[in-house]
Amino acid sequence: MSRRQRSLLIRTVLFLFALNSLSLAIYFFLHPRPAPSSETLTQTPPPSTLKPWPSLPSFLPWNPNPNPPLRSCEAYFGNGFSHQVNGLGEGGNGGWFRCFYSATLRSSVCEGGRVRMDPRKMQMSKGGERLELVMGRGEEEELPRFQDGAFEIEGDGAKRSGDGRVVDDEFLDRYVPRNGIEFHAMRGLMKSMRIVGSGELQCSQWIEEPTVLVTRFEYANLFHTVTDWYNAYVSSRVTSLPGRPHLIYVDGHCKAPLEETWEAIFTSARYAKNFSASVCFRHVILSPLGYESAMFKGLSESFSCQGTPVNNLKENPGSQKTARLSEFGEMLRAAFDLPTDENSITKASTDHNILFVRREDYLAHPRHNGKVESRLSNEPEVFDSILNWAANQTKCRLNVINGLFAHMTMKEQLRAVYEASVVIGAHGAGLTHLVSARSKAIVLEIISSRYRRPHFSLISQWKGLEYHAINLDGSYARPKVVIDELSNIVRSLGC
């Protein structure tokens, strides 16, 4: 190739390179790369901080049947929330709201996205105070009253006409009925919800991960609190949450010992009024009131559900069988790092714990005088008699556990119940711990004439536990009668 040809070739290559560079420069000038918006950045999910769901031996999928039979055990204790109704449809970048209605429980689990909560529009005490600082405070000060707009959802487009409510009274009456509850906090919350236009949702902070809202009533009573725990757990499963959600108390109760368990079950827990300004949720879930749980409805409604080991239920399913309460008991134990598998107890077959659940005077809430009404007037005498009887048994080693729950941590309480072969006690909220008992535990309830209520016989039935009762003429139990009943029970254990 001659010198002239090489020079021409080099000039041609340089010209093409310059032309290509100019073309690229013009393209990027006319098509600039868009800078990521703040909204796009906030939608990028950070690493999850949610506690994972533990492995539970009695667990069954929560969406195996989209419509379990009405008044079946699964409809009562599992996912009977099978009728989906939309309050605000999901579309574009706007918010959304829907409910899952249970015709059996006559209540709903509701959830929404892009929801704003304004604590300044909730009238209630701050909550979380030390008990001794709020003595005498009335319950009406602790329960929430909602102003219009206490909760807002961003609509995708123009606001609705009228008052801008997300759901109207007809929707509430159909899917969130009062069920005889005079002050229905969930209805009040939903009635306050308003739709705002796109871009009008003003938030001081965003909570990116799923959050359950709970309003508690009898928050210091174990039975009623277990119904709240259960409903919050069910709500999390019904809405298919990927992990254990955050939790917010939409009430102003003072701090109580049972909050220890809320914090163990869920990823975090705090009070709505502890937020200093408005807060927005990517995904929020409204849990039904504890009064609407199957455990509470069982006190007034007649339905038959028998607790059954999950393997038996898988092999021979039936509408009048359930393993859901056992699943929940395992969830409670797992929350405190206690064993969930009953085969984990390795003590000798001749060793048995007898747990005597005691009733004590204690200060429960600001309106409580610290005195517990006696339901077994000679409880110390009965307990001492059981101690003496157990010490004289030779065929088996019987360890009598003094169940002074008011002086025990929740983990100690759950461990005592889980390790017990026999649970005995007078009718009282402490026996609600039977939800965490092993399937082969035996229950002996001592019932005074004034407290013939079915709470714990029903829990025993729903768990599949063997249950016995001693019905008293008054509140005095003859020790010999109690010992005779216990002797028959431990004889059935091979002692």
Side-chain angles (χ1 to χ4, degrees):
M1 180 181 295
S2 68
R3 179 180 300 175
R4 183 179 179 181
Q5 289 175 320
R6 283 198 301 270
S7 176
L8 180 61
L9 178 62
I10 291 172
R11 285 199 300 270
T12 302
V13 171
L14 290 174
F15 173 79
L16 293 175
F17 178 80
L19 181 62
N20 185 60
S21 298
L22 180 62
S23 299
L24 288 173
I26 293 172
Y27 176 85
F28 285 117
F29 178 79
L30 296 176
H31 302 83
R33 184 178 180 183
S37 66
S38 58
E39 181 62 25
T40 303
L41 289 174
T42 56
Q43 286 183 341
T44 302
S48 176
T49 65
L50 298 181
K51 295 178 182 176
W53 292 113
S55 176
L56 307 175
S58 294
F59 180 83
L60 287 174
W62 277 78
N63 294 287
N65 183 344
N67 190 18
L70 187 70
R71 294 179 62 81
S72 65
C73 291
E74 179 63 13
Y76 271 108
F77 290 97
N79 195 356
F81 299 91
S82 53
H83 180 43
Q84 179 179 327
V85 287
N86 292 327
L88 179 65
E90 186 173 5
N93 293 321
W96 54 276
F97 187 79
R98 64 190 177 196
C99 291
F100 300 93
Y101 177 68
S102 167
T104 296
L105 294 173
R106 300 182 301 282
S107 68
S108 292
V109 172
C110 299
E111 61 176 343
R114 297 187 64 79
V115 178
R116 176 182 184 263
M117 178 181 76
D118 189 347
R120 295 165 298 187
K121 293 185 177 181
M122 300 180 196
Q123 296 177 344
M124 61 185 176
S125 46
K126 183 175 181 180
E129 308 94 342
R130 297 207 323 267
L131 173 59
E132 57 270 20
L133 298 180
V134 294
M135 291 303 297
R137 185 169 67 187
E139 185 179 32
E140 67 279 0
E141 298 178 59
E142 299 178 344
L143 294 177
R145 304 283 178 176
F146 304 98
Q147 299 175 19
D148 293 348
F151 287 82
E152 294 178 341
I153 299 181
E154 185 177 45
D156 188 24
K159 297 182 184 178
R160 287 185 179 178
S161 60
D163 59 6
R165 288 174 58 179
V166 175
V167 296
D168 57 20
D169 289 340
E170 182 182 356
F171 183 102
L172 291 174
D173 290 340
R174 180 175 297 181
Y175 301 116
V176 192
R178 291 189 178 278
N179 290 326
I181 302 169
E182 182 178 355
F183 181 82
H184 199 296
M186 187 174 178
R187 281 177 62 99
L189 187 158
M190 291 174 64
K191 195 169 185 177
S192 80
M193 297 176 77
R194 295 294 186 272
I195 301 172
V196 298
S198 180
E200 295 182 26
L201 206 63
Q202 302 299 317
C203 312
S204 64
Q205 71 175 99
W206 279 89
I207 295 181
E208 302 290 338
E209 296 177 317
T211 303
V212 173
L213 306 186
V214 174
T215 299
R216 305 163 300 164
F217 284 77
E218 299 173 68
Y219 66 102
N221 176 282
L222 181 63
F223 174 79
H224 290 283
T225 301
V226 167
T227 65
D228 284 329
W229 291 339
Y230 191 76
N231 273 1
Y233 174 73
V234 169
S235 299
S236 304
R237 292 299 198 180
V238 166
T239 51
S240 302
L241 299 187
R244 293 186 261 170
H246 301 282
L247 185 131
I248 292 177
Y249 308 118
V250 187
D251 59 56
H253 300 309
C254 65
K255 193 167 183 63
L258 294 175
E259 286 184 30
E260 175 188 7
T261 309
W262 284 108
E263 294 163 359
I265 298 174
F266 299 96
T267 292
S268 68
R270 63 186 299 183
Y271 287 81
K273 278 289 203 177
N274 288 175
F275 291 95
S276 58
S278 61
V279 58
C280 289
F281 305 95
R282 295 288 176 202
H283 187 187
V284 70
I285 299 95
L286 309 184
S287 177
L289 303 182
Y291 298 127
E292 297 172 307
S293 72
M295 278 184 280
F296 189 85
K297 286 184 176 289
L299 304 178
S300 57
E301 295 183 11
S302 177
F303 60 88
S304 177
C305 285
Q306 182 63 41
T308 305
V310 70
N311 290 336
N312 293 347
L313 195 59
K314 290 177 180 177
E315 295 172 2
N316 187 22
S319 63
Q320 303 306 312
K321 302 176 183 178
T322 184
R324 291 299 186 192
L325 216 54
S326 294
E327 174 188 331
F328 179 62
E330 292 164 2
M331 180 69 226
L332 290 178
R333 298 202 303 266
F336 287 95
D337 297 319
L338 293 171
T340 57
D341 187 352
E342 296 190 7
N343 296 323
S344 63
I345 294 183
T346 58
K347 65 181 181 180
S349 60
T350 55
D351 283 4
H352 295 285
N353 287 0
I354 298 177
L355 172 63
F356 194 108
V357 179
R358 308 291 297 273
R359 288 180 59 80
E360 304 174 89
D361 294 343
Y362 63 96
L363 200 59
H365 56 77
R367 297 160 295 283
H368 195 271
N369 61 12
K371 299 295 182 182
V372 174
E373 187 173 358
S374 175
R375 300 180 185 184
L376 180 57
S377 58
N378 63 325
E379 184 181 278
E381 179 187 12
V382 172
F383 179 72
D384 290 341
S385 298
I386 294 174
L387 279 177
N388 293 333
W389 163 78
N392 291 319
Q393 300 302 304
T394 57
K395 194 170 183 181
C396 288
R397 180 183 176 186
L398 303 180
N399 309 302
V400 180
I401 309 300
N402 192 4
L404 296 170
F405 284 171
H407 301 284
M408 300 166 67
T409 66
M410 183 58 65
K411 184 171 184 175
E412 291 169 339
Q413 295 174 44
L414 293 171
R415 185 189 297 278
V417 172
Y418 174 62
E419 294 181 348
S421 298
V422 181
V423 179
I424 179 174
H427 180 95
L431 287 178
T432 314
H433 274 313
L434 291 171
V435 297
S436 296
R438 287 180 292 154
S439 61
K440 294 184 179 179
I442 301 175
V443 182
L444 175 57
E445 183 180 5
I446 303 174
I447 308 173
S448 76
S449 57
R450 292 183 58 190
Y451 292 95
R452 297 206 171 146
R453 300 170 183 169
H455 296 63
F456 310 113
S457 62
L458 286 174
I459 290 177
S460 298
Q461 176 185 329
W462 299 331
K463 278 274 294 183
L465 306 178
E466 182 180 331
Y467 174 85
H468 302 262
I470 298 175
N471 290 294
L472 308 177
D473 292 332
S475 62
Y476 179 87
R478 293 171 53 204
K480 183 178 183 305
V481 172
V482 177
I483 296 302
D484 286 346
E485 190 67 35
L486 271 177
S487 297
N488 291 332
I489 289 172
V490 298
R491 196 174 297 119
S492 71
L493 295 174
C495 300

